[in-house]
Amino acid sequence: QFGRTFQDRSYRFHIRPRPTGVTSANRIFNLNVRGKRGNIVQTYPATEYDFAPDVFEGRVGDYIHFQWTGCDTNPAGNAGEGTDGTDRSNMVQITSLTDSVPATAAWLSSNTP
């Protein structure tokens, strides 16, 4: 048997103490981006880009730790709906889960503490 490839799952992480000023009363959330660019057939056995958790509702005083991945290139054929060879992500604030456009500056100024 020749040429077998296995996924490397030998990763390590460290849990650090809370930073100064972040009390035990403050909630800290871990927000991840997972998957890769392309449609479900192109990304198999991975998934299309998604957030984990896929729905997040924070409140004033909460902290969010973002874990974000991406690359400057993408194998040919995995463009999904985008330009070949690209792989970029972004995040915008929306006014509700039924919206698909960014919140307006007016909405942000009246809904931001």
Side-chain angles (χ1 to χ4, degrees):
Q1 189 174 31
F2 299 98
R4 291 184 73 184
T5 303
F6 297 91
Q7 293 179 9
D8 179 9
R9 296 185 180 185
S10 59
Y11 55 87
R12 294 173 23 172
F13 69 95
H14 300 276
I15 298 175
R16 302 175 122 184
R18 290 174 178 258
T20 303
V22 179
T23 70
S24 60
N26 296 116
R27 302 183 312 168
I28 302 175
F29 292 93
N30 190 29
L31 181 63
N32 294 277
V33 173
R34 64 179 173 196
K36 67 181 192 177
R37 180 152 176 205
N39 63 41
I40 194 166
V41 173
Q42 293 169 328
T43 62
Y44 183 83
T47 61
E48 299 170 88
Y49 276 130
D50 191 14
F51 288 103
D54 56 353
V55 174
F56 172 80
E57 292 186 30
R59 59 184 185 229
V60 173
D62 288 344
Y63 290 83
I64 305 171
H65 174 219
F66 288 93
Q67 291 184 329
W68 203 277
T69 61
C71 64
D72 290 333
T73 60
N74 188 354
N78 284 350
E81 299 291 323
T83 304
D84 285 342
T86 63
D87 186 10
R88 292 291 181 177
S89 303
N90 59 41
M91 180 183 302
V92 296
Q93 187 167 348
I94 56 177
T95 58
S96 76
L97 291 176
T98 59
D99 288 343
S100 61
V101 296
T104 64
W107 186 90
L108 289 170
S109 65
S110 64
N111 289 279
T112 303

